[in-house]
């Protein structure tokens, strides 16, 4: 079978002027993620990433930590949804991360059920359809027995998991999206029966000595 590892980026800079950069914790998370990939001895054939800076930076740091010299192919379909485009114009962003998550959940539910575009992301149908197509292309290009790494974001990974689990929308998607640690690992395999989800949100690499690096936003 072939395998695709969906890797959430390290912690971004919530509350800063530029959100789309790794925080110091995010960089450390990326190093630990790379160490976990090295420990697993994943036979990596290809590496993909969205075009967001936090995704690309996570890829660069993690690959170096893992000792992997594989070029990164960028594909904007692996980008996160435009969270700023989901929030009504003029509404101030809350400084508290819990309140931010509550407001974001409300906005995502309206986006999924309402059919409207979310800023630069477009509609939910376009967003989720692009993800499915991107995943199919990654699997199609993998030789048998090889693996691909995809550095992406929680919203993208949640969309894939919800579809494979036949989770009810939008509740199933939201439940996955709000409980995805930074630099967590989700594993998919493809065989005769199609694509299967074999693990979600693996973050054992942030237990033990690295427990202080576990974050969700």
């Amino acid at each position: 079978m072939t395998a695709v590892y969906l890797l959430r980026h390290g912690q971004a800079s919530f509350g800063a002027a530029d959100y789309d950069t790794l925080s110091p914790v995010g960089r450390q998370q990326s190093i630990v993620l790379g160490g976990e990939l090295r420990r697993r001895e994943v036979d990596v054939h290809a590496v993909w990433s969205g075009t967001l800076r936090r995704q690309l930076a996570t890829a660069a740091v993690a690959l170096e930590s893992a000792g992997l010299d594989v070029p990164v192919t960028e594909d904007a379909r692996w980008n996160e949804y435009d969270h700023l485009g989901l929030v009504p114009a003029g509404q101030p962003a809350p400084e508290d991360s819990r309140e931010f998550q509550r407001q974001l959940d409300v906005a995502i539910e309206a986006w999924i059920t309402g059919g409207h575009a979310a800023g630069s992301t477009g509609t939910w149908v376009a967003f989720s359809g692009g993800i499915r197509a991107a995943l199919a292309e990654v699997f199609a290009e993998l030789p048998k027995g090889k693996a691909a790494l995809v550095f992406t974001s929680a919203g993208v990974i949640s969309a894939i998991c919800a579809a494979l689990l036949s989770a009810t929308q939008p509740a199933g998607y939201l439940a996955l999206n709000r409980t995805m640690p930074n630099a967590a690992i989700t594993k998919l395999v493809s065989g005769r029966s199609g694509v299967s989800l074999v693990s979600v949100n693996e973050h054992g690499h942030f237990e033990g000595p690295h427990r202080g690096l576990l974050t969700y936003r």
Side-chain angles (χ1 to χ4, degrees):
M1 292 188 291
T2 56
V4 171
Y5 292 81
L6 303 175
L7 310 171
R8 189 188 177 195
H9 62 76
Q11 184 187 60
S13 299
F14 180 80
D18 186 0
Y19 173 78
D20 192 22
T21 57
L22 288 183
S23 70
V25 169
R27 180 175 176 80
Q28 289 301 310
Q29 290 168 337
S30 303
I31 293 172
V32 173
L33 173 60
E36 176 64 11
L37 294 172
R38 180 193 289 268
R39 184 191 69 80
R40 296 187 184 200
E41 298 182 351
V42 179
D43 190 358
V44 178
H45 175 77
V47 179
W48 298 74
S49 174
T51 63
L52 301 176
R53 281 177 291 151
R54 60 188 183 273
Q55 297 169 337
L56 291 167
T58 300
V61 174
L63 292 175
E64 181 179 4
S65 177
L68 291 170
D69 184 16
V70 182
V72 178
T73 301
E74 297 181 30
D75 186 338
R77 291 175 296 181
W78 293 111
N79 287 358
E80 183 64 292
Y81 50 71
D82 179 5
H83 69 279
L84 295 178
L86 283 167
V87 179
Q91 180 173 317
E95 295 183 2
D96 179 74
S97 61
R98 291 180 182 272
E99 176 59 21
F100 174 81
Q101 187 64 57
R102 188 195 68 78
Q103 291 185 13
L104 184 61
D105 283 354
V106 172
I108 289 173
E109 182 171 0
W111 176 46
I112 292 174
T113 60
H116 60 276
S120 61
T121 304
T123 65
W124 166 257
V125 171
F127 175 69
S128 57
I131 295 167
R132 289 193 300 271
L135 179 63
E137 289 178 21
V138 172
F139 269 119
E141 295 179 13
L142 274 180
K144 185 177 180 180
K146 298 291 186 177
L149 307 179
V150 179
F151 292 87
T152 181
S153 297
V156 175
I157 299 170
S158 298
I160 292 171
C161 293
L164 291 173
L165 293 170
S166 300
T168 304
Q169 300 289 3
Y173 176 79
L174 290 173
L176 288 162
N177 193 44
R178 71 172 67 99
T179 57
M180 191 158 292
N182 291 110
I185 300 172
T186 293
K187 183 178 179 181
L188 313 174
V189 297
S190 180
R192 292 181 180 179
S193 60
V195 177
S196 299
L197 177 63
V198 295
S199 73
V200 181
N201 278 349
E202 292 184 68
H203 56 284
H205 43 297
F206 296 121
E207 296 176 350
H210 299 302
R211 63 170 59 90
L213 292 174
L214 179 62
T215 62
Y216 292 84
R217 180 162 299 287

